[in-house]
């Protein structure tokens, strides 16, 4: 994997670049739809390509390891062949799922023992094992195994966790560098900066991660409940330390406003379940603001969902019709809403890229942050 930094905005730290992978190029800044178990919920691959215009999607190590399992994925030829997605894929290491399974897991130096949420069976995730699993899944970009600390978090716990995450990273790197991909193309490993919301820990972690010299770097442990301003403070501290010639991925973020503000701080890559999860509940992100399409006020609104966004779904179907689908509990409702929300997120980062290239990002960002978070 290589990264070309095309330009930096003259008034902010926003960047436009291109990430080159074995399965194609990714223009940054970019949003990555989350396909946890090998599918972006309610959206088929054709629509991800043609309608949403996604350039890269995510898979999740924890979920794919449990189901369909490594034997199926290996015999299929990897996740790309299994789900028919021929563009880049990134896999999360499962660290966040371990964090969310706090009641059924034990964290030790060896790794994490946990019980499957499916059948209660016991498993161990070690740094070495997670590298092997992600090799088998076959993602273009794989993540180091880390512990995602909760918020709020005691300083001493965050410090101990950070030290262990760094030790785990060295084990991940050793295993990754001593193995090959299974399917004839190169994969790359991103380390993850941790440190909760403590400035000195974030600085120490960012410096340690930068020293590893990998092709890209990630920022984890944010967007876990802390105030947005605290997230921005930590992100800025880390981005100022991480190498400028490598892509920076802020994990699990976030709202349209979060994405725009973090682009301004120097982040290149984002993912979040919000556009699809909210879509399934009838919350739409539009070029004019946020719409709860299940509200009665849209019952007689026969205007397109979002005429300015473009694309088939957002301009062909009316707000009234989409509300009707939700009221009737028709499966098509969440499907259309998911396609629309993902299309909006990809539109937003594409617009941000164009503004960065034009040198007009700061003024546009200030206007758009207010606009896209307005309640309609």
């Amino acid at each position: 994997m290589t990264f070309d930094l095309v330009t930096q905005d003259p008034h902010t730290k926003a960047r436009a670049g291109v990430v080159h992978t074995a399965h194609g190029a990714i223009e940054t800044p970019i949003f990555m739809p989350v396909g946890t178990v090998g599918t972006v919920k309610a959206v088929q691959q054709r629509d991800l390509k043609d309608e949403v215009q996604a350039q890269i999607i995510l898979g999740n190590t924890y979920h794919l390891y449990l189901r369909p399992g490594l034997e199926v994925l290996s015999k299929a030829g990897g996740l790309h062949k299994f789900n028919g997605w021929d563009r880049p894929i990134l896999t999360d290491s499962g660290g966040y799922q371990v964090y969310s399974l706090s009641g059924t897991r034990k964290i030790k130096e060896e790794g994490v023992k946990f019980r499957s949420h499916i059948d209660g069976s016991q498993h161990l995730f070690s740094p070495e094992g997670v590298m092997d699993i992600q090799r088998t899944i076959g993602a273009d970009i794989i993540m180091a195994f880390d512990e995602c600390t909760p918020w709020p978090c005691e300083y001493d716990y965050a410090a101990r966790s950070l030290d262990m995450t760094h030790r785990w990273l060295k084990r991940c790197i050793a295993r990754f560098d001593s193995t090959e991909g299974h399917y004839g193309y190169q994969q790359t490993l991103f380390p993850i900066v941790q440190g909760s919301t403590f400035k000195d820990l974030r600085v120490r972690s960012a410096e340690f991660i930068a020293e590893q010299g990998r092709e890209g770097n990630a920022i984890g442990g944010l967007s876990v409940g802390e105030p947005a301003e605290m997230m921005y403070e930590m992100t800025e501290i880390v981005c100022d330390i991480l190498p400028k010639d490598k892509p920076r991925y802020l994990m699990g973020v976030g709202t349209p406003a979060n994405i725009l503000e973090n682009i301004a701080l120097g982040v290149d890559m984002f993912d979040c379940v919000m556009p699809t999860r909210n879509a399934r509940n009838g919350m739409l992100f539009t070029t004019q603001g946020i719409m709860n399409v299940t509200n009665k006020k849209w019952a007689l609104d026969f205007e397109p969902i979002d005429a300015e966004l473009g694309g088939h779904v957002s301009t062909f179907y009316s707000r009234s019709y989409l509300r009707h689908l939700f009221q009737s509990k028709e499966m098509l409702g969440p499907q259309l809403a998911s396609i629309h929300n993902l299309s909006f997120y990809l539109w937003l980062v594409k617009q941000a890229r164009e503004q960065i290239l034009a040198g007009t990002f700061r003024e546009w960002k200030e206007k758009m942050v207010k606009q896209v978070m307005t309640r309609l």
Side-chain angles (χ1 to χ4, degrees):
M1 193 207 82
T2 59
F3 177 64
D4 297 330
L5 180 57
V6 178
T7 191
Q8 182 164 319
D9 177 63
H11 307 295
T12 69
K13 298 172 184 176
R15 302 126 57 86
V18 184
V19 177
H20 300 276
T21 77
H23 286 92
I26 306 156
E27 293 186 338
T28 63
I30 193 64
F31 179 81
M32 304 179 282
V34 177
T36 304
V37 293
T39 172
V40 177
K41 284 188 188 298
V43 184
Q44 60 175 321
Q45 270 63 308
R46 183 182 63 192
D47 288 331
L48 276 175
K49 277 187 169 184
D50 300 341
E51 187 80 6
V52 174
Q53 298 184 20
Q55 298 179 45
I56 175 174
I57 63 173
L58 266 70
N60 182 266
T61 293
Y62 167 85
H63 288 284
L64 291 167
Y65 162 79
L66 291 177
R67 194 165 50 193
L70 300 185
E71 181 183 6
V72 171
L73 289 167
S74 180
K75 288 184 176 178
L79 183 57
H80 287 93
K81 294 285 181 66
F82 185 58
N83 72 357
W85 179 256
D86 60 3
R87 293 179 181 178
I89 295 176
L90 180 149
T91 40
D92 183 351
S93 70
Y96 184 79
Q97 279 62 44
V98 165
Y99 151 79
S100 62
L101 289 169
S102 57
T104 59
R105 49 90 165 139
K106 292 182 180 178
I107 302 174
K108 296 184 177 180
E109 190 68 31
E110 178 188 10
V112 179
K113 290 182 179 179
F114 63 91
R115 288 188 178 274
S116 163
H117 72 286
I118 299 169
D119 60 11
S121 56
Q122 282 196 316
H123 303 268
L124 170 70
F125 268 10
S126 66
E128 295 81 5
V130 166
M131 294 300 96
D132 295 346
I133 293 166
Q134 290 184 88
R135 285 290 201 192
T136 301
I137 294 171
D140 299 88
I141 300 171
I142 75 176
M143 304 306 299
F145 190 54
D146 65 333
E147 183 191 2
C148 177
T149 51
W151 187 89
C153 178
E154 293 290 334
Y155 181 88
D156 287 348
Y157 182 90
R160 289 195 305 272
S161 172
L162 178 66
D163 289 339
M164 185 175 65
T165 286
H166 288 173
R167 293 192 297 272
W168 282 359
L169 173 60
K170 299 298 280 187
R171 289 166 59 188
C172 286
I173 289 171
R175 184 60 152 238
F176 181 83
D177 288 349
S178 65
T179 56
E180 297 288 336
H182 294 191
Y183 310 111
Y185 55 84
Q186 286 192 329
Q187 298 170 289
T188 193
L189 170 65
F190 279 25
I192 303 172
V193 176
Q194 288 289 351
S196 187
T197 52
F198 301 104
K199 180 178 177 179
D200 62 317
L201 297 184
R202 285 286 173 179
V203 168
R204 177 149 63 90
S205 187
E207 289 174 346
F208 181 83
I209 266 58
E211 288 169 1
Q212 307 311 306
R214 310 312 294 191
E215 290 88 358
N217 300 294
I219 306 168
L222 296 174
S223 194
V224 291
E226 79 283 357
E229 291 308 317
M230 199 172 277
M231 178 211 306
Y232 301 147
E233 180 187 0
M234 295 301 110
T235 300
E236 185 168 24
I237 288 167
V238 171
C239 284
D240 286 348
I241 295 171
L242 291 178
K244 289 182 167 54
D245 60 344
K246 308 287 178 65
R248 304 168 184 146
Y249 163 32
L250 181 57
M251 305 177 75
V253 176
T255 67
N258 291 158
I259 288 174
L260 292 175
E261 296 291 3
N262 282 296
I263 287 173
L265 298 174
V267 174
D268 306 297
M269 303 169 71
F270 301 87
D271 80 285
C272 191
V273 298
M274 184 174 286
T276 45
R277 179 176 290 169
N278 287 15
R280 296 194 298 276
N281 295 311
M283 179 182 280
L284 304 187
F285 297 99
T286 78
T287 56
Q288 302 306 306
I290 298 172
M291 171 195 307
N292 186 339
V293 78
T294 64
N295 287 350
K296 191 174 182 179
K297 67 183 292 186
W298 309 113
L300 295 175
D301 191 328
F302 302 107
E303 292 298 312
I305 297 168
D306 189 350
E308 290 191 26
L309 185 62
H312 174 71
V313 167
S314 305
T315 59
F316 182 81
Y317 297 100
S318 74
R319 299 165 178 181
S320 174
Y321 179 65
L322 187 55
R323 178 180 185 271
H324 157 71
L325 294 176
F326 273 95
Q327 294 297 108
S328 305
K329 294 185 167 44
E330 282 289 338
M331 286 191 294
L332 185 59
Q335 288 178 311
L336 295 179
S338 297
I339 292 170
H340 164 81
N341 274 359
L342 289 173
S343 298
F344 168 79
Y345 267 62
L346 269 295
W347 170 87
L348 187 67
V349 293
K350 185 177 181 181
Q351 291 294 309
R353 178 183 171 84
E354 291 176 1
Q355 297 293 330
I356 294 166
L357 292 172
T360 53
F361 174 76
R362 184 174 64 180
E363 184 178 342
W364 173 83
K365 188 265 292 184
E366 295 300 326
K367 179 188 74 171
M368 288 302 293
V369 164
K370 296 173 184 173
Q371 187 168 312
V372 298
M373 298 308 288
T374 300
R375 292 277 173 172
L376 298 178

